[in-house]
mmCIF file with all atom_site columns, all heavy atoms in Angstrom:
data_model
loop_
_atom_site.group_PDB
_atom_site.id
_atom_site.type_symbol
_atom_site.label_atom_id
_atom_site.label_alt_id
_atom_site.label_comp_id
_atom_site.label_asym_id
_atom_site.label_entity_id
_atom_site.label_seq_id
_atom_site.pdbx_PDB_ins_code
_atom_site.Cartn_x
_atom_site.Cartn_y
_atom_site.Cartn_z
_atom_site.occupancy
_atom_site.B_iso_or_equiv
_atom_site.pdbx_formal_charge
_atom_site.auth_seq_id
_atom_site.auth_comp_id
_atom_site.auth_asym_id
_atom_site.auth_atom_id
_atom_site.pdbx_PDB_model_num
ATOM 1   N N   . LEU H 1 146 ? 29.596 1.617  6.472  1.00 0.00 ? 146 LEU H N   1
ATOM 2   C CA  . LEU H 1 146 ? 29.253 2.654  5.505  1.00 0.00 ? 146 LEU H CA  1
ATOM 3   C C   . LEU H 1 146 ? 29.514 2.139  4.094  1.00 0.00 ? 146 LEU H C   1
ATOM 4   O O   . LEU H 1 146 ? 30.585 1.578  3.824  1.00 0.00 ? 146 LEU H O   1
ATOM 5   C CB  . LEU H 1 146 ? 30.089 3.913  5.758  1.00 0.00 ? 146 LEU H CB  1
ATOM 6   C CG  . LEU H 1 146 ? 29.976 4.523  7.154  1.00 0.00 ? 146 LEU H CG  1
ATOM 7   C CD1 . LEU H 1 146 ? 30.991 5.656  7.324  1.00 0.00 ? 146 LEU H CD1 1
ATOM 8   C CD2 . LEU H 1 146 ? 28.560 5.027  7.412  1.00 0.00 ? 146 LEU H CD2 1
ATOM 9   N N   . PHE H 1 147 ? 28.555 2.344  3.204  1.00 0.00 ? 147 PHE H N   1
ATOM 10  C CA  . PHE H 1 147 ? 28.662 1.858  1.832  1.00 0.00 ? 147 PHE H CA  1
ATOM 11  C C   . PHE H 1 147 ? 28.387 2.994  0.852  1.00 0.00 ? 147 PHE H C   1
ATOM 12  O O   . PHE H 1 147 ? 27.621 3.915  1.146  1.00 0.00 ? 147 PHE H O   1
ATOM 13  C CB  . PHE H 1 147 ? 27.661 0.726  1.573  1.00 0.00 ? 147 PHE H CB  1
ATOM 14  C CG  . PHE H 1 147 ? 27.868 -0.485 2.430  1.00 0.00 ? 147 PHE H CG  1
ATOM 15  C CD1 . PHE H 1 147 ? 27.258 -0.596 3.671  1.00 0.00 ? 147 PHE H CD1 1
ATOM 16  C CD2 . PHE H 1 147 ? 28.681 -1.524 1.996  1.00 0.00 ? 147 PHE H CD2 1
ATOM 17  C CE1 . PHE H 1 147 ? 27.449 -1.719 4.464  1.00 0.00 ? 147 PHE H CE1 1
ATOM 18  C CE2 . PHE H 1 147 ? 28.876 -2.651 2.778  1.00 0.00 ? 147 PHE H CE2 1
ATOM 19  C CZ  . PHE H 1 147 ? 28.264 -2.752 4.020  1.00 0.00 ? 147 PHE H CZ  1
ATOM 20  N N   . ASN H 1 148 ? 28.989 2.899  -0.334 1.00 0.00 ? 148 ASN H N   1
ATOM 21  C CA  . ASN H 1 148 ? 28.673 3.868  -1.380 1.00 0.00 ? 148 ASN H CA  1
ATOM 22  C C   . ASN H 1 148 ? 27.433 3.407  -2.144 1.00 0.00 ? 148 ASN H C   1
ATOM 23  O O   . ASN H 1 148 ? 26.789 2.412  -1.769 1.00 0.00 ? 148 ASN H O   1
ATOM 24  C CB  . ASN H 1 148 ? 29.885 4.100  -2.291 1.00 0.00 ? 148 ASN H CB  1
ATOM 25  C CG  . ASN H 1 148 ? 30.286 2.859  -3.086 1.00 0.00 ? 148 ASN H CG  1
ATOM 26  O OD1 . ASN H 1 148 ? 29.530 1.881  -3.198 1.00 0.00 ? 148 ASN H OD1 1
ATOM 27  N ND2 . ASN H 1 148 ? 31.476 2.887  -3.652 1.00 0.00 ? 148 ASN H ND2 1
ATOM 28  N N   . ASP H 1 149 ? 27.098 4.093  -3.231 1.00 0.00 ? 149 ASP H N   1
ATOM 29  C CA  . ASP H 1 149 ? 25.880 3.761  -3.975 1.00 0.00 ? 149 ASP H CA  1
ATOM 30  C C   . ASP H 1 149 ? 25.927 2.389  -4.631 1.00 0.00 ? 149 ASP H C   1
ATOM 31  O O   . ASP H 1 149 ? 24.883 1.829  -4.982 1.00 0.00 ? 149 ASP H O   1
ATOM 32  C CB  . ASP H 1 149 ? 25.614 4.824  -5.045 1.00 0.00 ? 149 ASP H CB  1
ATOM 33  C CG  . ASP H 1 149 ? 25.191 6.161  -4.449 1.00 0.00 ? 149 ASP H CG  1
ATOM 34  O OD1 . ASP H 1 149 ? 24.773 6.180  -3.278 1.00 0.00 ? 149 ASP H OD1 1
ATOM 35  O OD2 . ASP H 1 149 ? 25.294 7.188  -5.158 1.00 0.00 ? 149 ASP H OD2 1
ATOM 36  N N   . VAL H 1 154 ? 33.006 1.338  2.392  1.00 0.00 ? 154 VAL H N   1
ATOM 37  C CA  . VAL H 1 154 ? 33.940 2.473  2.380  1.00 0.00 ? 154 VAL H CA  1
ATOM 38  C C   . VAL H 1 154 ? 34.311 2.947  3.780  1.00 0.00 ? 154 VAL H C   1
ATOM 39  O O   . VAL H 1 154 ? 35.175 3.806  3.938  1.00 0.00 ? 154 VAL H O   1
ATOM 40  C CB  . VAL H 1 154 ? 33.372 3.655  1.569  1.00 0.00 ? 154 VAL H CB  1
ATOM 41  C CG1 . VAL H 1 154 ? 33.295 3.310  0.091  1.00 0.00 ? 154 VAL H CG1 1
ATOM 42  C CG2 . VAL H 1 154 ? 32.005 4.097  2.104  1.00 0.00 ? 154 VAL H CG2 1
ATOM 43  N N   . GLY H 1 155 ? 33.660 2.385  4.821  1.00 0.00 ? 155 GLY H N   1
ATOM 44  C CA  . GLY H 1 155 ? 34.015 2.830  6.160  1.00 0.00 ? 155 GLY H CA  1
ATOM 45  C C   . GLY H 1 155 ? 33.089 2.274  7.224  1.00 0.00 ? 155 GLY H C   1
ATOM 46  O O   . GLY H 1 155 ? 32.294 1.357  6.986  1.00 0.00 ? 155 GLY H O   1
ATOM 47  N N   . THR H 1 157 ? 31.137 3.679  11.195 1.00 0.00 ? 157 THR H N   1
ATOM 48  C CA  . THR H 1 157 ? 30.929 4.785  12.120 1.00 0.00 ? 157 THR H CA  1
ATOM 49  C C   . THR H 1 157 ? 30.205 4.327  13.379 1.00 0.00 ? 157 THR H C   1
ATOM 50  O O   . THR H 1 157 ? 29.431 3.361  13.356 1.00 0.00 ? 157 THR H O   1
ATOM 51  C CB  . THR H 1 157 ? 30.115 5.914  11.456 1.00 0.00 ? 157 THR H CB  1
ATOM 52  O OG1 . THR H 1 157 ? 30.055 7.043  12.335 1.00 0.00 ? 157 THR H OG1 1
ATOM 53  C CG2 . THR H 1 157 ? 28.695 5.472  11.126 1.00 0.00 ? 157 THR H CG2 1
ATOM 54  N N   . VAL H 1 164 ? 34.545 7.829  13.141 1.00 0.00 ? 164 VAL H N   1
ATOM 55  C CA  . VAL H 1 164 ? 34.491 7.334  11.767 1.00 0.00 ? 164 VAL H CA  1
ATOM 56  C C   . VAL H 1 164 ? 35.824 6.682  11.441 1.00 0.00 ? 164 VAL H C   1
ATOM 57  O O   . VAL H 1 164 ? 36.889 7.239  11.731 1.00 0.00 ? 164 VAL H O   1
ATOM 58  C CB  . VAL H 1 164 ? 34.216 8.470  10.756 1.00 0.00 ? 164 VAL H CB  1
ATOM 59  C CG1 . VAL H 1 164 ? 34.272 7.931  9.325  1.00 0.00 ? 164 VAL H CG1 1
ATOM 60  C CG2 . VAL H 1 164 ? 32.865 9.110  11.026 1.00 0.00 ? 164 VAL H CG2 1
ATOM 61  N N   . SER H 1 166 ? 37.816 4.821  8.130  1.00 0.00 ? 166 SER H N   1
ATOM 62  C CA  . SER H 1 166 ? 37.737 4.589  6.697  1.00 0.00 ? 166 SER H CA  1
ATOM 63  C C   . SER H 1 166 ? 39.130 4.624  6.093  1.00 0.00 ? 166 SER H C   1
ATOM 64  O O   . SER H 1 166 ? 39.982 5.400  6.536  1.00 0.00 ? 166 SER H O   1
ATOM 65  C CB  . SER H 1 166 ? 36.869 5.667  6.034  1.00 0.00 ? 166 SER H CB  1
ATOM 66  O OG  . SER H 1 166 ? 36.928 5.560  4.619  1.00 0.00 ? 166 SER H OG  1
ATOM 67  N N   . PHE H 1 168 ? 39.523 5.771  3.266  1.00 0.00 ? 168 PHE H N   1
ATOM 68  C CA  . PHE H 1 168 ? 39.411 6.899  2.344  1.00 0.00 ? 168 PHE H CA  1
ATOM 69  C C   . PHE H 1 168 ? 39.352 8.202  3.154  1.00 0.00 ? 168 PHE H C   1
ATOM 70  O O   . PHE H 1 168 ? 38.316 8.520  3.755  1.00 0.00 ? 168 PHE H O   1
ATOM 71  C CB  . PHE H 1 168 ? 38.170 6.741  1.466  1.00 0.00 ? 168 PHE H CB  1
ATOM 72  C CG  . PHE H 1 168 ? 38.124 5.430  0.731  1.00 0.00 ? 168 PHE H CG  1
ATOM 73  C CD1 . PHE H 1 168 ? 37.287 4.401  1.156  1.00 0.00 ? 168 PHE H CD1 1
ATOM 74  C CD2 . PHE H 1 168 ? 38.935 5.213  -0.377 1.00 0.00 ? 168 PHE H CD2 1
ATOM 75  C CE1 . PHE H 1 168 ? 37.249 3.188  0.490  1.00 0.00 ? 168 PHE H CE1 1
ATOM 76  C CE2 . PHE H 1 168 ? 38.908 3.999  -1.056 1.00 0.00 ? 168 PHE H CE2 1
ATOM 77  C CZ  . PHE H 1 168 ? 38.070 2.981  -0.619 1.00 0.00 ? 168 PHE H CZ  1
ATOM 78  N N   . PRO H 1 169 ? 40.430 8.982  3.183  1.00 0.00 ? 169 PRO H N   1
ATOM 79  C CA  . PRO H 1 169 ? 40.515 10.153 4.063  1.00 0.00 ? 169 PRO H CA  1
ATOM 80  C C   . PRO H 1 169 ? 39.490 11.236 3.771  1.00 0.00 ? 169 PRO H C   1
ATOM 81  O O   . PRO H 1 169 ? 39.123 12.001 4.665  1.00 0.00 ? 169 PRO H O   1
ATOM 82  C CB  . PRO H 1 169 ? 41.945 10.667 3.827  1.00 0.00 ? 169 PRO H CB  1
ATOM 83  C CG  . PRO H 1 169 ? 42.378 10.073 2.527  1.00 0.00 ? 169 PRO H CG  1
ATOM 84  C CD  . PRO H 1 169 ? 41.687 8.773  2.417  1.00 0.00 ? 169 PRO H CD  1
ATOM 85  N N   . ASP H 1 170 ? 38.992 11.310 2.547  1.00 0.00 ? 170 ASP H N   1
ATOM 86  C CA  . ASP H 1 170 ? 38.039 12.366 2.193  1.00 0.00 ? 170 ASP H CA  1
ATOM 87  C C   . ASP H 1 170 ? 36.594 11.872 2.194  1.00 0.00 ? 170 ASP H C   1
ATOM 88  O O   . ASP H 1 170 ? 35.716 12.507 1.585  1.00 0.00 ? 170 ASP H O   1
ATOM 89  C CB  . ASP H 1 170 ? 38.387 12.930 0.808  1.00 0.00 ? 170 ASP H CB  1
ATOM 90  C CG  . ASP H 1 170 ? 39.774 13.569 0.783  1.00 0.00 ? 170 ASP H CG  1
ATOM 91  O OD1 . ASP H 1 170 ? 40.162 14.170 1.801  1.00 0.00 ? 170 ASP H OD1 1
ATOM 92  O OD2 . ASP H 1 170 ? 40.463 13.443 -0.255 1.00 0.00 ? 170 ASP H OD2 1
ATOM 93  N N   . LEU H 1 171 ? 36.330 10.786 2.875  1.00 0.00 ? 171 LEU H N   1
ATOM 94  C CA  . LEU H 1 171 ? 34.987 10.201 2.876  1.00 0.00 ? 171 LEU H CA  1
ATOM 95  C C   . LEU H 1 171 ? 33.957 11.177 3.447  1.00 0.00 ? 171 LEU H C   1
ATOM 96  O O   . LEU H 1 171 ? 34.150 11.746 4.520  1.00 0.00 ? 171 LEU H O   1
ATOM 97  C CB  . LEU H 1 171 ? 34.976 8.914  3.703  1.00 0.00 ? 171 LEU H CB  1
ATOM 98  C CG  . LEU H 1 171 ? 33.640 8.158  3.754  1.00 0.00 ? 171 LEU H CG  1
ATOM 99  C CD1 . LEU H 1 171 ? 33.353 7.521  2.391  1.00 0.00 ? 171 LEU H CD1 1
ATOM 100 C CD2 . LEU H 1 171 ? 33.666 7.083  4.844  1.00 0.00 ? 171 LEU H CD2 1
ATOM 101 N N   . ASP H 1 172 ? 32.857 11.343 2.729  1.00 0.00 ? 172 ASP H N   1
ATOM 102 C CA  . ASP H 1 172 ? 31.729 12.145 3.201  1.00 0.00 ? 172 ASP H CA  1
ATOM 103 C C   . ASP H 1 172 ? 30.684 11.194 3.774  1.00 0.00 ? 172 ASP H C   1
ATOM 104 O O   . ASP H 1 172 ? 29.945 10.545 3.029  1.00 0.00 ? 172 ASP H O   1
ATOM 105 C CB  . ASP H 1 172 ? 31.147 12.962 2.052  1.00 0.00 ? 172 ASP H CB  1
ATOM 106 C CG  . ASP H 1 172 ? 30.055 13.927 2.504  1.00 0.00 ? 172 ASP H CG  1
ATOM 107 O OD1 . ASP H 1 172 ? 29.544 13.753 3.634  1.00 0.00 ? 172 ASP H OD1 1
ATOM 108 O OD2 . ASP H 1 172 ? 29.712 14.839 1.737  1.00 0.00 ? 172 ASP H OD2 1
ATOM 109 N N   . VAL H 1 173 ? 30.631 11.109 5.094  1.00 0.00 ? 173 VAL H N   1
ATOM 110 C CA  . VAL H 1 173 ? 29.745 10.148 5.752  1.00 0.00 ? 173 VAL H CA  1
ATOM 111 C C   . VAL H 1 173 ? 28.287 10.395 5.395  1.00 0.00 ? 173 VAL H C   1
ATOM 112 O O   . VAL H 1 173 ? 27.495 9.449  5.267  1.00 0.00 ? 173 VAL H O   1
ATOM 113 C CB  . VAL H 1 173 ? 29.943 10.205 7.283  1.00 0.00 ? 173 VAL H CB  1
ATOM 114 C CG1 . VAL H 1 173 ? 28.953 9.300  7.990  1.00 0.00 ? 173 VAL H CG1 1
ATOM 115 C CG2 . VAL H 1 173 ? 31.373 9.803  7.640  1.00 0.00 ? 173 VAL H CG2 1
ATOM 116 N N   . GLU H 1 174 ? 27.912 11.642 5.217  1.00 0.00 ? 174 GLU H N   1
ATOM 117 C CA  . GLU H 1 174 ? 26.520 11.978 4.936  1.00 0.00 ? 174 GLU H CA  1
ATOM 118 C C   . GLU H 1 174 ? 26.053 11.431 3.590  1.00 0.00 ? 174 GLU H C   1
ATOM 119 O O   . GLU H 1 174 ? 24.847 11.293 3.354  1.00 0.00 ? 174 GLU H O   1
ATOM 120 C CB  . GLU H 1 174 ? 26.329 13.489 4.982  1.00 0.00 ? 174 GLU H CB  1
ATOM 121 C CG  . GLU H 1 174 ? 26.586 14.096 6.354  1.00 0.00 ? 174 GLU H CG  1
ATOM 122 C CD  . GLU H 1 174 ? 25.763 13.434 7.447  1.00 0.00 ? 174 GLU H CD  1
ATOM 123 O OE1 . GLU H 1 174 ? 24.543 13.226 7.214  1.00 0.00 ? 174 GLU H OE1 1
ATOM 124 O OE2 . GLU H 1 174 ? 26.327 13.104 8.513  1.00 0.00 ? 174 GLU H OE2 1
ATOM 125 N N   . LYS H 1 175 ? 26.964 11.122 2.710  1.00 0.00 ? 175 LYS H N   1
ATOM 126 C CA  . LYS H 1 175 ? 26.605 10.574 1.402  1.00 0.00 ? 175 LYS H CA  1
ATOM 127 C C   . LYS H 1 175 ? 26.622 9.048  1.388  1.00 0.00 ? 175 LYS H C   1
ATOM 128 O O   . LYS H 1 175 ? 26.349 8.424  0.359  1.00 0.00 ? 175 LYS H O   1
ATOM 129 C CB  . LYS H 1 175 ? 27.549 11.112 0.327  1.00 0.00 ? 175 LYS H CB  1
ATOM 130 C CG  . LYS H 1 175 ? 27.406 12.608 0.080  1.00 0.00 ? 175 LYS H CG  1
ATOM 131 C CD  . LYS H 1 175 ? 28.333 13.070 -1.035 1.00 0.00 ? 175 LYS H CD  1
ATOM 132 C CE  . LYS H 1 175 ? 28.157 14.556 -1.301 1.00 0.00 ? 175 LYS H CE  1
ATOM 133 N NZ  . LYS H 1 175 ? 29.054 15.048 -2.381 1.00 0.00 ? 175 LYS H NZ  1
ATOM 134 N N   . CYS H 1 176 ? 26.956 8.458  2.527  1.00 0.00 ? 176 CYS H N   1
ATOM 135 C CA  . CYS H 1 176 ? 27.061 6.997  2.609  1.00 0.00 ? 176 CYS H CA  1
ATOM 136 C C   . CYS H 1 176 ? 25.751 6.365  3.064  1.00 0.00 ? 176 CYS H C   1
ATOM 137 O O   . CYS H 1 176 ? 24.926 6.994  3.729  1.00 0.00 ? 176 CYS H O   1
ATOM 138 C CB  . CYS H 1 176 ? 28.169 6.608  3.591  1.00 0.00 ? 176 CYS H CB  1
ATOM 139 S SG  . CYS H 1 176 ? 29.816 7.125  3.103  1.00 0.00 ? 176 CYS H SG  1
ATOM 140 N N   . HIS H 1 177 ? 25.595 5.090  2.728  1.00 0.00 ? 177 HIS H N   1
ATOM 141 C CA  . HIS H 1 177 ? 24.466 4.295  3.207  1.00 0.00 ? 177 HIS H CA  1
ATOM 142 C C   . HIS H 1 177 ? 24.915 3.553  4.466  1.00 0.00 ? 177 HIS H C   1
ATOM 143 O O   . HIS H 1 177 ? 25.956 2.895  4.463  1.00 0.00 ? 177 HIS H O   1
ATOM 144 C CB  . HIS H 1 177 ? 24.027 3.307  2.139  1.00 0.00 ? 177 HIS H CB  1
ATOM 145 C CG  . HIS H 1 177 ? 23.641 3.958  0.839  1.00 0.00 ? 177 HIS H CG  1
ATOM 146 N ND1 . HIS H 1 177 ? 22.399 4.508  0.620  1.00 0.00 ? 177 HIS H ND1 1
ATOM 147 C CD2 . HIS H 1 177 ? 24.360 4.172  -0.298 1.00 0.00 ? 177 HIS H CD2 1
ATOM 148 C CE1 . HIS H 1 177 ? 22.352 5.012  -0.601 1.00 0.00 ? 177 HIS H CE1 1
ATOM 149 N NE2 . HIS H 1 177 ? 23.533 4.826  -1.180 1.00 0.00 ? 177 HIS H NE2 1
ATOM 150 N N   . LYS H 1 178 ? 24.136 3.651  5.528  1.00 0.00 ? 178 LYS H N   1
ATOM 151 C CA  . LYS H 1 178 ? 24.494 3.043  6.814  1.00 0.00 ? 178 LYS H CA  1
ATOM 152 C C   . LYS H 1 178 ? 23.707 1.750  7.031  1.00 0.00 ? 178 LYS H C   1
ATOM 153 O O   . LYS H 1 178 ? 22.477 1.746  6.976  1.00 0.00 ? 178 LYS H O   1
ATOM 154 C CB  . LYS H 1 178 ? 24.215 4.012  7.961  1.00 0.00 ? 178 LYS H CB  1
ATOM 155 C CG  . LYS H 1 178 ? 24.977 5.329  7.902  1.00 0.00 ? 178 LYS H CG  1
ATOM 156 C CD  . LYS H 1 178 ? 24.617 6.202  9.099  1.00 0.00 ? 178 LYS H CD  1
ATOM 157 C CE  . LYS H 1 178 ? 25.379 7.515  9.081  1.00 0.00 ? 178 LYS H CE  1
ATOM 158 N NZ  . LYS H 1 178 ? 24.931 8.403  7.980  1.00 0.00 ? 178 LYS H NZ  1
#
Side-chain angles (χ1 to χ4, degrees):
L146 303 173
F147 298 89
N148 65 15
D149 290 342
V154 292
T157 186
V164 176
S166 172
F168 305 104
D170 298 325
L171 182 71
D172 186 344
V173 175
E174 296 306 315
K175 293 182 178 180
C176 296
H177 302 278
K178 300 180 179 69

